[in-house]
Amino acid sequence: MPKLILSMDGLVLKEIVLAKERTLIGRKPINDIQIDNLSISGQHAVITHILGDTFLEDLNSTNGTYVNGQPVKKHVLHNNDVIELGKYRIKYLVDASTPGVSATELVDTAALKPFEIGTVNPAEPMPAGTTTLRTPKSNVAGTATTSIGHLIKRLGAIQVLSGVNVGQELELSKSVTTLGKPGQQVAVITRREQGYFITHVEGEIHPRVNDAEIDAQAHKLNEHDIIEIAGVKMEFFLRS
């Protein structure tokens, strides 16, 4: 099971096993990892661990969150990554003996490209309030992808059923695909050997599958499930 090593100035302060799906980090006592320092925001960042993948997300902190010296908004953690919060360091370690744990592609919501197909003109701005379908950048240097042996063999896809992008399709070929509207509602679809799973990431309102709101746990998708994110309905299906 993955664990975190919290340290400051080379002195180890605490070791935390990621036994929960969501681990909050911040200055306030309500956090799972409390760092009582003014350089740390009340709720600074959150680490989400689902299906062998671990995501770090900055919660609009005042001083920012860094991984290996680079500022991040959202990042898929890899073994030996070092999270930097002010003077504090949190090292992420993966138990190599744990089956099914593997690196995934980087998901950076600040650098995601809108998905565009069909007759939509890429140079033409989308109307205000439009929900965009987004996929991770695949050309990030040093990023590892999940082995194809750990991925479902039939490629999944979603087709937009409502909104200005109706009829458009998005292949779920990446190990992680981010969907939604940042700041309002965001979810991730992960591609695993067991199938495709959708998980709520951001927003007070959770995505809906077949008109039922999903909870905080990863929800497995079945063929022809209807997903609703940020007011846009999409159908999930598997290509033959």
Side-chain angles (χ1 to χ4, degrees):
M1 188 173 290
K3 62 182 179 181
L4 307 172
I5 307 297
L6 175 65
S7 65
M8 185 181 72
D9 296 332
L11 178 65
V12 174
L13 303 176
K14 185 183 290 188
E15 181 176 312
I16 307 101
V17 175
L18 285 180
K20 297 174 60 177
E21 186 172 283
R22 283 172 61 84
T23 301
L24 281 167
I25 306 169
R27 191 179 69 254
K28 294 181 180 179
I30 61 171
N31 292 280
D32 301 293
I33 302 175
Q34 184 189 7
I35 303 176
D36 190 9
N37 186 283
L38 291 177
S39 67
I40 309 299
S41 295
Q43 285 190 318
H44 196 105
V46 62
I47 293 175
T48 304
H49 181 65
I50 51 172
L51 299 172
D53 295 319
T54 305
F55 305 84
L56 168 71
E57 181 180 0
D58 179 80
L59 298 177
N60 297 317
S61 63
T62 301
N63 294 315
T65 300
Y66 293 75
V67 175
N68 303 328
Q70 300 298 317
V72 299
K73 284 297 182 183
K74 190 164 187 179
H75 179 82
V76 175
L77 290 170
H78 302 129
N79 190 36
N80 290 318
D81 273 353
V82 177
I83 304 166
E84 301 168 46
L85 310 171
K87 294 182 179 180
Y88 292 82
R89 302 290 182 270
I90 301 176
K91 191 168 187 177
Y92 173 74
L93 296 174
V94 176
D95 183 358
S97 65
T98 303
V101 175
S102 56
T104 62
E105 290 186 89
L106 176 69
V107 180
D108 183 352
T109 55
L112 297 175
K113 288 184 177 180
F115 176 69
E116 299 163 345
I117 67 170
T119 58
V120 177
N121 182 356
E124 188 175 302
M126 301 298 285
T130 297
T131 297
T132 54
L133 287 77
R134 299 166 180 265
T135 55
K137 293 178 73 175
S138 58
N139 60 348
V140 180
T143 297
T145 59
T146 300
S147 166
I148 194 66
H150 293 291
L151 298 177
I152 187 172
K153 292 181 180 179
R154 289 184 65 191
L155 186 64
I158 53 176
Q159 182 178 42
V160 181
L161 303 178
S162 65
V164 296
N165 295 317
V166 65
Q168 292 189 13
E169 293 184 4
L170 171 63
E171 286 190 345
L172 301 173
S173 57
K174 306 296 184 183
S175 52
V176 178
T177 301
T178 303
L179 301 170
K181 188 174 182 181
Q184 179 179 323
Q185 189 180 40
V186 175
V188 294
I189 294 179
T190 54
R191 183 186 179 203
R192 307 295 295 178
E193 185 178 15
Q194 302 90 342
Y196 284 88
F197 294 79
I198 184 170
T199 307
H200 174 69
V201 172
E202 178 185 344
E204 294 183 3
I205 301 175
H206 289 216
R208 302 179 73 86
V209 177
N210 299 329
D211 211 28
E213 188 173 287
I214 66 172
D215 57 21
Q217 304 297 316
H219 179 91
K220 186 175 182 179
L221 291 171
N222 297 310
E223 192 158 17
H224 303 304
D225 275 352
I226 304 299
I227 305 165
E228 184 174 349
I229 302 175
V232 174
K233 289 188 175 182
M234 296 159 276
E235 180 182 0
F236 169 78
F237 62 95
L238 294 171
R239 296 193 185 280
S240 53

